Amino acid sequence: MDAAALQTLLSPAILFFILGMFAAAARSDLAIPEAIAKAMSLYLMVAIGLKGGVAVSKSGLDSTVLLAILAGVVLGFVIPVFAYAALRFFAKLDGLNSGAVAAHYGSVSVVTFVTATQILERSGFAADGYMVAVMAMMETPAILSGLLLARRAMAKEGHADATNGSTAKLLHEVFLNASVVLLLGSFAIGALAGPDGFAPIAPMFEAGFQGILCLFLLDMGLLVVNRLRKAKSLTIPLVVLALIFPVVNGAFGVALGTFVGLPVGSAAALGVLAASASYIAVPAAMRLALPQADPGIYLTMSLSITFPFNILIGIQLFSALAQMMGR
Protein backbone atom coordinates (compact mmCIF):
# COMPACT_ATOMS: atom_id res chain seq x y z
CA MET A 1 0.00 0.00 0.00
CA ASP A 2 1.48 3.36 -1.04
CA ALA A 3 1.66 6.43 1.21
CA ALA A 4 -1.33 8.17 -0.41
CA ALA A 5 -3.59 5.13 -0.01
CA LEU A 6 -2.48 4.68 3.60
CA GLN A 7 -3.13 8.36 4.33
CA THR A 8 -6.65 8.03 2.91
CA LEU A 9 -7.40 4.89 4.91
CA LEU A 10 -6.14 6.54 8.10
CA SER A 11 -8.11 9.76 7.66
CA PRO A 12 -10.52 10.42 10.58
CA ALA A 13 -13.64 10.18 8.39
CA ILE A 14 -12.72 6.73 7.07
CA LEU A 15 -11.66 5.52 10.52
CA PHE A 16 -15.01 6.59 12.00
CA PHE A 17 -16.77 4.63 9.23
CA ILE A 18 -14.70 1.55 10.07
CA LEU A 19 -15.47 2.10 13.78
CA GLY A 20 -19.20 2.10 13.03
CA MET A 21 -18.89 -1.14 11.05
CA PHE A 22 -16.88 -2.74 13.85
CA ALA A 23 -19.37 -1.63 16.52
CA ALA A 24 -22.31 -3.06 14.58
CA ALA A 25 -20.47 -6.30 13.82
CA ALA A 26 -19.65 -6.67 17.53
CA ARG A 27 -23.33 -5.98 18.35
CA SER A 28 -22.52 -2.92 20.43
CA ASP A 29 -25.46 -0.80 21.57
CA LEU A 30 -23.84 2.26 19.97
CA ALA A 31 -26.47 4.19 18.00
CA ILE A 32 -27.11 7.67 16.65
CA PRO A 33 -30.75 8.82 16.89
CA GLU A 34 -32.46 9.01 13.49
CA ALA A 35 -33.38 12.67 13.93
CA ILE A 36 -29.74 13.61 14.55
CA ALA A 37 -28.59 11.52 11.57
CA LYS A 38 -31.12 13.31 9.34
CA ALA A 39 -29.98 16.71 10.65
CA MET A 40 -26.36 15.82 9.87
CA SER A 41 -27.36 14.75 6.35
CA LEU A 42 -29.13 18.09 5.78
CA TYR A 43 -26.10 19.98 7.09
CA LEU A 44 -23.69 18.14 4.77
CA MET A 45 -25.85 18.76 1.69
CA VAL A 46 -26.25 22.47 2.49
CA ALA A 47 -22.53 22.86 3.20
CA ILE A 48 -21.37 21.17 0.01
CA GLY A 49 -23.96 23.03 -2.05
CA LEU A 50 -23.02 26.43 -0.63
CA LYS A 51 -19.29 25.89 -1.09
CA GLY A 52 -19.81 24.66 -4.65
CA GLY A 53 -21.90 27.71 -5.50
CA VAL A 54 -19.34 30.09 -4.02
CA ALA A 55 -16.58 28.39 -6.03
CA VAL A 56 -18.57 28.81 -9.26
CA SER A 57 -19.26 32.46 -8.46
CA LYS A 58 -15.49 32.98 -8.45
CA SER A 59 -14.74 31.09 -11.67
CA GLY A 60 -17.96 31.71 -13.60
CA LEU A 61 -19.82 29.41 -16.00
CA ASP A 62 -17.91 28.28 -19.07
CA SER A 63 -17.82 25.44 -21.58
CA THR A 64 -16.02 23.17 -19.10
CA VAL A 65 -18.87 23.46 -16.61
CA LEU A 66 -21.49 22.77 -19.29
CA LEU A 67 -19.53 19.77 -20.59
CA ALA A 68 -19.22 18.40 -17.05
CA ILE A 69 -23.00 18.68 -16.53
CA LEU A 70 -23.64 17.07 -19.94
CA ALA A 71 -21.26 14.23 -19.06
CA GLY A 72 -23.10 13.65 -15.78
CA VAL A 73 -26.51 13.57 -17.50
CA VAL A 74 -25.20 11.10 -20.11
CA LEU A 75 -23.87 8.85 -17.35
CA GLY A 76 -27.20 9.05 -15.55
CA PHE A 77 -29.03 7.77 -18.63
CA VAL A 78 -26.46 5.23 -19.88
CA ILE A 79 -25.28 3.46 -16.71
CA PRO A 80 -28.74 2.01 -15.86
CA VAL A 81 -28.95 0.44 -19.32
CA PHE A 82 -25.72 -1.53 -18.86
CA ALA A 83 -26.52 -2.31 -15.23
CA TYR A 84 -29.95 -3.62 -16.26
CA ALA A 85 -28.44 -5.90 -18.91
CA ALA A 86 -25.92 -7.33 -16.43
CA LEU A 87 -28.60 -7.91 -13.80
CA ARG A 88 -30.85 -9.68 -16.28
CA PHE A 89 -28.29 -11.93 -17.96
CA PHE A 90 -25.64 -12.50 -15.29
CA ALA A 91 -27.69 -12.40 -12.07
CA LYS A 92 -30.89 -13.71 -13.73
CA LEU A 93 -32.92 -11.06 -11.91
CA ASP A 94 -36.47 -10.31 -13.07
CA GLY A 95 -37.16 -7.16 -15.09
CA LEU A 96 -38.94 -5.30 -12.31
CA ASN A 97 -36.13 -5.59 -9.78
CA SER A 98 -33.45 -5.17 -12.45
CA GLY A 99 -34.93 -1.79 -13.40
CA ALA A 100 -35.14 -0.71 -9.76
CA VAL A 101 -31.52 -1.71 -9.04
CA ALA A 102 -30.30 -0.13 -12.30
CA ALA A 103 -31.85 3.21 -11.32
CA HIS A 104 -29.87 3.15 -8.06
CA TYR A 105 -26.57 2.59 -9.87
CA GLY A 106 -27.20 5.35 -12.39
CA SER A 107 -27.89 7.77 -9.57
CA VAL A 108 -25.45 9.04 -6.93
CA SER A 109 -24.55 8.88 -3.25
CA VAL A 110 -24.17 12.34 -1.72
CA VAL A 111 -22.16 11.00 1.22
CA THR A 112 -19.72 9.18 -1.06
CA PHE A 113 -19.24 12.40 -3.05
CA VAL A 114 -18.76 14.53 0.08
CA THR A 115 -16.20 12.08 1.44
CA ALA A 116 -14.42 12.01 -1.92
CA THR A 117 -14.18 15.81 -2.10
CA GLN A 118 -12.46 15.89 1.28
CA ILE A 119 -10.03 13.11 0.36
CA LEU A 120 -9.25 14.68 -3.04
CA GLU A 121 -8.64 18.05 -1.42
CA ARG A 122 -6.25 16.51 1.08
CA SER A 123 -4.35 14.81 -1.73
CA GLY A 124 -3.92 18.09 -3.65
CA PHE A 125 -6.47 17.36 -6.40
CA ALA A 126 -9.55 19.24 -5.23
CA ALA A 127 -12.71 18.84 -7.33
CA ASP A 128 -14.13 22.03 -8.81
CA GLY A 129 -17.23 23.54 -7.20
CA TYR A 130 -19.46 22.95 -10.23
CA MET A 131 -19.28 19.20 -9.60
CA VAL A 132 -22.06 19.76 -7.03
CA ALA A 133 -24.39 20.74 -9.87
CA VAL A 134 -23.26 17.68 -11.84
CA MET A 135 -24.11 15.47 -8.86
CA ALA A 136 -27.61 16.95 -8.52
CA MET A 137 -28.30 16.65 -12.24
CA MET A 138 -27.48 12.91 -12.28
CA GLU A 139 -30.42 11.97 -10.03
CA THR A 140 -33.31 12.51 -12.46
CA PRO A 141 -32.07 10.80 -15.67
CA ALA A 142 -31.10 7.68 -13.71
CA ILE A 143 -34.55 7.36 -12.17
CA LEU A 144 -36.29 7.91 -15.51
CA SER A 145 -34.00 5.42 -17.28
CA GLY A 146 -34.49 2.73 -14.62
CA LEU A 147 -38.26 3.19 -14.58
CA LEU A 148 -38.48 2.96 -18.35
CA LEU A 149 -36.54 -0.31 -18.34
CA ALA A 150 -38.59 -1.75 -15.47
CA ARG A 151 -41.97 -0.80 -16.93
CA ARG A 152 -41.01 -2.14 -20.35
CA ALA A 153 -39.98 -5.48 -18.82
CA MET A 154 -43.14 -5.62 -16.70
CA ALA A 155 -45.30 -5.10 -19.78
CA LYS A 156 -43.48 -7.93 -21.59
CA GLU A 157 -43.80 -10.20 -18.56
CA GLY A 158 -47.54 -9.55 -18.38
CA HIS A 159 -47.74 -7.54 -15.17
CA ALA A 160 -51.25 -6.13 -14.93
CA ASP A 161 -50.02 -3.11 -12.95
CA ALA A 162 -47.14 -2.22 -15.27
CA THR A 163 -48.45 1.31 -15.82
CA ASN A 164 -49.98 1.88 -12.40
CA GLY A 165 -48.92 4.74 -10.17
CA SER A 166 -49.58 8.46 -10.03
CA THR A 167 -47.52 10.25 -12.67
CA ALA A 168 -47.87 13.55 -10.80
CA LYS A 169 -46.54 12.03 -7.58
CA LEU A 170 -43.69 10.35 -9.41
CA LEU A 171 -42.65 13.53 -11.23
CA HIS A 172 -42.81 15.42 -7.96
CA GLU A 173 -40.55 12.84 -6.30
CA VAL A 174 -38.11 12.78 -9.21
CA PHE A 175 -37.71 16.51 -9.72
CA LEU A 176 -38.43 17.85 -6.23
CA ASN A 177 -36.97 15.22 -3.90
CA ALA A 178 -35.20 16.62 -0.86
CA SER A 179 -31.62 16.02 -1.99
CA VAL A 180 -32.09 17.67 -5.41
CA VAL A 181 -33.90 20.70 -3.96
CA LEU A 182 -31.40 21.18 -1.15
CA LEU A 183 -28.28 20.67 -3.27
CA LEU A 184 -29.37 22.85 -6.19
CA GLY A 185 -30.94 25.43 -3.87
CA SER A 186 -27.82 25.72 -1.71
CA PHE A 187 -25.66 25.80 -4.83
CA ALA A 188 -27.73 28.69 -6.23
CA ILE A 189 -27.57 30.56 -2.91
CA GLY A 190 -23.80 30.16 -2.78
CA ALA A 191 -23.43 31.32 -6.38
CA LEU A 192 -25.63 34.39 -5.79
CA ALA A 193 -24.06 35.29 -2.43
CA GLY A 194 -20.47 34.85 -3.57
CA PRO A 195 -17.45 34.89 -1.23
CA ASP A 196 -18.51 38.10 0.54
CA GLY A 197 -22.04 36.88 1.23
CA PHE A 198 -20.78 33.49 2.36
CA ALA A 199 -18.20 34.92 4.78
CA PRO A 200 -20.59 35.56 7.74
CA ILE A 201 -21.86 31.94 7.73
CA ALA A 202 -18.56 30.34 6.71
CA PRO A 203 -17.55 29.40 10.29
CA MET A 204 -20.62 27.18 10.64
CA PHE A 205 -20.27 25.47 7.28
CA GLU A 206 -16.47 25.15 7.18
CA ALA A 207 -15.20 24.73 10.75
CA GLY A 208 -17.72 22.07 11.69
CA PHE A 209 -17.81 20.21 8.38
CA GLN A 210 -15.11 17.62 9.07
CA GLY A 211 -16.51 16.78 12.51
CA ILE A 212 -20.07 16.32 11.25
CA LEU A 213 -18.81 14.17 8.37
CA CYS A 214 -16.98 11.91 10.84
CA LEU A 215 -20.11 11.43 12.97
CA PHE A 216 -22.26 10.83 9.90
CA LEU A 217 -19.89 8.18 8.58
CA LEU A 218 -19.90 6.54 12.01
CA ASP A 219 -23.68 6.22 11.67
CA MET A 220 -23.32 4.94 8.11
CA GLY A 221 -20.90 2.24 9.28
CA LEU A 222 -23.48 1.07 11.81
CA LEU A 223 -26.24 1.11 9.19
CA VAL A 224 -24.21 -0.80 6.58
CA VAL A 225 -23.53 -3.80 8.80
CA ASN A 226 -27.01 -3.86 10.36
CA ARG A 227 -28.68 -3.94 6.93
CA LEU A 228 -26.25 -6.56 5.64
CA ARG A 229 -27.04 -8.75 8.61
CA LYS A 230 -30.75 -8.65 7.75
CA ALA A 231 -30.27 -9.25 4.01
CA LYS A 232 -32.20 -12.29 2.79
CA SER A 233 -32.68 -11.64 -0.94
CA LEU A 234 -29.08 -11.38 -2.10
CA THR A 235 -27.49 -14.05 -4.28
CA ILE A 236 -23.79 -14.47 -5.01
CA PRO A 237 -24.14 -13.02 -8.55
CA LEU A 238 -25.81 -9.91 -7.08
CA VAL A 239 -22.98 -9.47 -4.57
CA VAL A 240 -20.44 -9.83 -7.38
CA LEU A 241 -22.23 -7.19 -9.47
CA ALA A 242 -22.44 -4.83 -6.50
CA LEU A 243 -18.62 -4.92 -6.47
CA ILE A 244 -18.12 -4.87 -10.25
CA PHE A 245 -20.53 -2.01 -10.97
CA PRO A 246 -18.56 0.66 -9.07
CA VAL A 247 -15.26 -0.35 -10.70
CA VAL A 248 -16.60 -0.38 -14.26
CA ASN A 249 -18.87 2.66 -13.86
CA GLY A 250 -16.20 4.63 -12.03
CA ALA A 251 -13.57 3.92 -14.68
CA PHE A 252 -16.05 4.97 -17.36
CA GLY A 253 -16.77 8.19 -15.46
CA VAL A 254 -13.09 9.06 -15.07
CA ALA A 255 -12.44 8.34 -18.76
CA LEU A 256 -15.39 10.49 -19.86
CA GLY A 257 -14.36 13.31 -17.54
CA THR A 258 -10.81 13.23 -18.87
CA PHE A 259 -12.10 13.11 -22.46
CA VAL A 260 -14.20 16.29 -22.06
CA GLY A 261 -11.24 18.11 -20.51
CA LEU A 262 -12.00 18.12 -16.78
CA PRO A 263 -9.08 18.69 -14.39
CA VAL A 264 -7.78 15.65 -12.51
CA GLY A 265 -9.77 16.33 -9.33
CA SER A 266 -13.04 16.86 -11.18
CA ALA A 267 -12.49 13.82 -13.43
CA ALA A 268 -11.90 11.73 -10.30
CA ALA A 269 -15.06 13.19 -8.72
CA LEU A 270 -17.06 12.31 -11.85
CA GLY A 271 -15.69 8.77 -11.56
CA VAL A 272 -16.81 8.62 -7.92
CA LEU A 273 -20.28 9.86 -8.88
CA ALA A 274 -20.54 7.24 -11.65
CA ALA A 275 -19.36 4.53 -9.25
CA SER A 276 -21.69 5.45 -6.40
CA ALA A 277 -25.26 4.24 -5.95
CA SER A 278 -28.15 6.08 -4.38
CA TYR A 279 -29.68 4.85 -1.13
CA ILE A 280 -31.82 7.90 -0.25
CA ALA A 281 -33.47 9.67 -3.20
CA VAL A 282 -33.94 6.71 -5.56
CA PRO A 283 -35.43 4.34 -2.94
CA ALA A 284 -38.05 7.01 -2.22
CA ALA A 285 -38.89 7.24 -5.93
CA MET A 286 -39.00 3.46 -6.27
CA ARG A 287 -41.46 3.16 -3.39
CA LEU A 288 -43.82 5.38 -5.37
CA ALA A 289 -43.20 4.09 -8.89
CA LEU A 290 -42.30 0.41 -8.33
CA PRO A 291 -43.75 -0.61 -4.95
CA GLN A 292 -43.52 -4.29 -5.99
CA ALA A 293 -39.70 -4.11 -6.24
CA ASP A 294 -37.76 -5.70 -3.39
CA PRO A 295 -35.91 -3.11 -1.25
CA GLY A 296 -33.96 -5.98 0.28
CA ILE A 297 -32.16 -6.24 -3.06
CA TYR A 298 -31.65 -2.65 -4.19
CA LEU A 299 -30.97 -1.14 -0.76
CA THR A 300 -28.62 -3.89 0.38
CA MET A 301 -26.62 -3.80 -2.85
CA SER A 302 -26.26 -0.01 -2.92
CA LEU A 303 -25.85 0.66 0.79
CA SER A 304 -24.24 -2.42 2.29
CA ILE A 305 -21.88 -3.47 -0.51
CA THR A 306 -21.21 -0.68 -3.03
CA PHE A 307 -21.12 2.16 -0.50
CA PRO A 308 -18.41 0.69 1.79
CA PHE A 309 -16.42 -0.46 -1.26
CA ASN A 310 -16.31 3.09 -2.59
CA ILE A 311 -15.51 4.63 0.78
CA LEU A 312 -12.68 2.22 1.56
CA ILE A 313 -11.28 1.49 -1.92
CA GLY A 314 -13.08 3.21 -4.78
CA ILE A 315 -12.28 6.86 -4.03
CA GLN A 316 -8.55 6.19 -3.93
CA LEU A 317 -8.80 3.97 -7.03
CA PHE A 318 -10.53 6.62 -9.15
CA SER A 319 -8.20 9.34 -7.90
CA ALA A 320 -5.20 7.30 -9.05
CA LEU A 321 -6.90 6.51 -12.37
CA ALA A 322 -7.67 10.18 -13.00
CA GLN A 323 -4.06 11.15 -12.28
CA MET A 324 -2.83 8.47 -14.68
CA MET A 325 -5.23 9.49 -17.48
CA GLY A 326 -4.63 13.19 -16.92
CA ARG A 327 -0.90 13.00 -17.61
Side-chain angles (χ1 to χ4, degrees):
M1 182 179 291
D2 60 27
L6 183 61
Q7 183 182 24
T8 297
L9 191 59
L10 295 180
S11 66
I14 301 300
L15 290 175
F16 270 99
F17 178 72
I18 294 172
L19 175 61
M21 293 182 69
F22 171 79
R27 300 184 183 275
S28 167
D29 61 355
L30 176 64
I32 293 179
E34 185 177 350
I36 294 177
K38 185 174 182 179
M40 290 191 295
S41 176
L42 294 174
Y43 170 88
L44 291 173
M45 285 190 284
V46 170
I48 198 72
L50 282 171
K51 289 191 283 187
V54 170
V56 167
S57 75
K58 294 179 183 178
S59 62
L61 292 173
D62 55 22
S63 59
T64 302
V65 177
L66 297 177
L67 282 172
I69 292 174
L70 178 60
V73 171
V74 168
L75 287 170
F77 276 117
V78 170
I79 287 175
V81 176
F82 290 103
Y84 178 86
L87 289 160
R88 291 286 277 160
F89 295 108
F90 177 72
K92 307 299 182 185
L93 194 62
D94 63 273
L96 166 66
N97 283 298
S98 292
V101 173
H104 286 71
Y105 279 91
S107 189
V108 296
S109 161
V110 176
V111 179
T112 305
F113 176 79
V114 171
T115 307
T117 59
Q118 297 306 298
I119 291 173
L120 289 169
E121 187 173 341
R122 285 179 51 151
S123 64
F125 296 99
D128 293 303
Y130 56 75
M131 293 305 298
V132 178
V134 176
M135 172 176 60
M137 294 300 291
M138 289 179 70
E139 292 268 23
T140 301
I143 294 172
L144 295 176
S145 185
L147 285 179
L148 180 62
L149 291 165
R151 292 244 167 103
R152 183 180 176 186
M154 290 169 70
K156 285 185 176 180
E157 293 168 2
H159 284 257
D161 52 357
T163 58
N164 281 359
S166 168
T167 301
K169 285 184 178 180
L170 175 60
L171 291 176
H172 185 275
E173 185 62 46
V174 169
F175 290 102
L176 293 174
N177 70 74
S179 58
V180 170
V181 170
L182 201 53
L183 283 167
L184 287 181
S186 301
F187 181 85
I189 290 170
L192 291 171
D196 293 337
F198 179 65
I201 60 173
M204 176 178 179
F205 289 106
E206 287 184 340
F209 186 86
Q210 288 282 356
I212 296 297
L213 178 60
C214 288
L215 289 175
F216 191 76
L217 284 175
L218 171 68
D219 183 56
M220 292 306 302
L222 293 166
L223 187 60
V224 161
V225 174
N226 286 331
R227 173 157 288 279
L228 193 58
R229 184 181 289 128
K230 297 175 184 177
K232 299 182 184 300
S233 305
L234 284 190
T235 63
I236 292 177
L238 289 174
V239 172
V240 171
L241 286 178
L243 294 171
I244 290 176
F245 282 156
V247 176
V248 175
N249 295 344
F252 181 37
V254 172
L256 182 59
T258 304
F259 175 76
V260 301
L262 299 186
V264 169
S266 294
L270 186 62
V272 170
L273 288 173
S276 66
S278 174
Y279 52 83
I280 298 175
V282 178
M286 291 302 107
R287 281 197 298 270
L288 283 175
L290 299 175
Q292 314 94 323
D294 186 355
I297 297 175
Y298 59 70
L299 262 181
T300 306
M301 287 180 69
S302 63
L303 176 61
S304 296
I305 301 174
T306 299
F307 177 74
F309 173 84
N310 280 327
I311 293 294
L312 298 174
I313 299 172
I315 295 172
Q316 186 63 32
L317 175 64
F318 305 129
S319 176
L321 186 60
Q323 292 175 51
M324 182 179 70
M325 289 186 176
R327 288 175 182 169

